[in-house]
Amino acid sequence: MSRSSINVWARRRARRTLLQALYAWQMTDADFDEIVQQFTPDQLKGADTDYLHECLRGVMDRVTMLDPLFEPYLDRRVDELDYVERAILRAGSHELKDRLDVPVRVVIDEWVELAKRFGAQDSFRYVNGVLDRVARDLRSAELGDTVTTDDGAERGRRDRG
């Protein structure tokens, strides 16, 4: 799908619902179908449901691969994070890792906005810092954070040493 044909409002609504779905999943440990059934058609109206379902399934199926992406940048263990922050960092890390069609800045901006709306008072700053570091690890080339070494290989700036 080309970027010009993406409905940004439908994606935004999908992310908001994704946050709610991940929050519910973390609280109940319900399976994918049980979580999806909690949302009425009215609640999903206007949302990109394909995107929502792909991201929800992606986070639920690969949570053990996603948590280590952001865990090094936390000031506490993953299980000590607020449920909202944990859901946001998992969803944002999923998008950064597996949704290369979505630009880094869009991913970070969207999740920071949701942290402002639903997170603790200053959690958006925390989320921004952590997702920025995950983005530099996963998509340094997109951020222009690469250098070419003497052997012609590209490496992230932090890998130069």
Side-chain angles (χ1 to χ4, degrees):
M1 177 180 273
S2 73
R3 285 190 184 150
S4 63
S5 63
I6 293 172
N7 182 331
V8 296
W9 298 108
R11 285 272 175 98
R12 183 166 288 156
R13 183 123 175 119
R15 285 184 186 95
R16 181 178 176 170
T17 306
L18 175 61
L19 174 58
Q20 294 169 320
L22 290 174
Y23 184 91
W25 172 64
Q26 292 172 153
M27 295 292 290
T28 65
D29 201 31
D31 68 23
F32 178 83
D33 291 327
E34 292 171 316
I35 296 296
V36 170
Q37 289 173 6
Q38 293 179 17
F39 295 93
T40 66
D42 280 347
Q43 290 172 309
L44 297 174
K45 187 176 182 176
D48 182 340
T49 54
D50 290 338
Y51 195 79
L52 166 63
H53 291 159
E54 185 279 323
C55 289
L56 179 60
R57 171 104 35 222
V59 172
M60 291 175 76
D61 289 350
R62 294 187 283 287
V63 69
T64 58
M65 290 180 273
L66 295 172
D67 287 358
L69 296 175
F70 61 83
E71 191 168 28
Y73 307 117
L74 302 179
D75 59 359
R76 56 193 173 268
R77 294 188 331 251
V78 172
D79 65 341
E80 294 174 335
L81 288 171
D82 171 87
Y83 284 107
V84 172
E85 288 175 347
R86 191 180 325 158
I88 287 171
L89 292 173
R90 285 174 169 170
S93 295
H94 166 73
E95 280 195 281
L96 289 168
K97 182 176 183 342
D98 296 321
R99 293 305 307 233
L100 301 180
D101 59 313
V102 182
V104 167
R105 288 291 143 219
V106 170
V107 173
I108 293 173
D109 289 348
E110 290 288 321
W111 289 109
V112 165
E113 286 302 314
L114 285 166
K116 284 179 183 177
R117 185 171 179 124
F118 297 105
Q121 184 173 356
D122 287 327
S123 69
F124 72 93
R125 288 186 174 99
Y126 189 70
V127 165
N128 185 55
V130 173
L131 287 179
D132 184 66
R133 295 189 73 186
V134 171
R136 292 191 185 290
D137 288 345
L138 297 176
R139 298 210 212 163
S140 60
E142 182 180 339
L143 294 170
D145 198 21
T146 59
V147 294
T148 304
T149 60
D150 293 337
D151 62 0
E154 284 192 352
R155 292 200 176 132
R157 291 190 179 179
R158 288 186 290 162
D159 297 336
R160 280 194 284 184

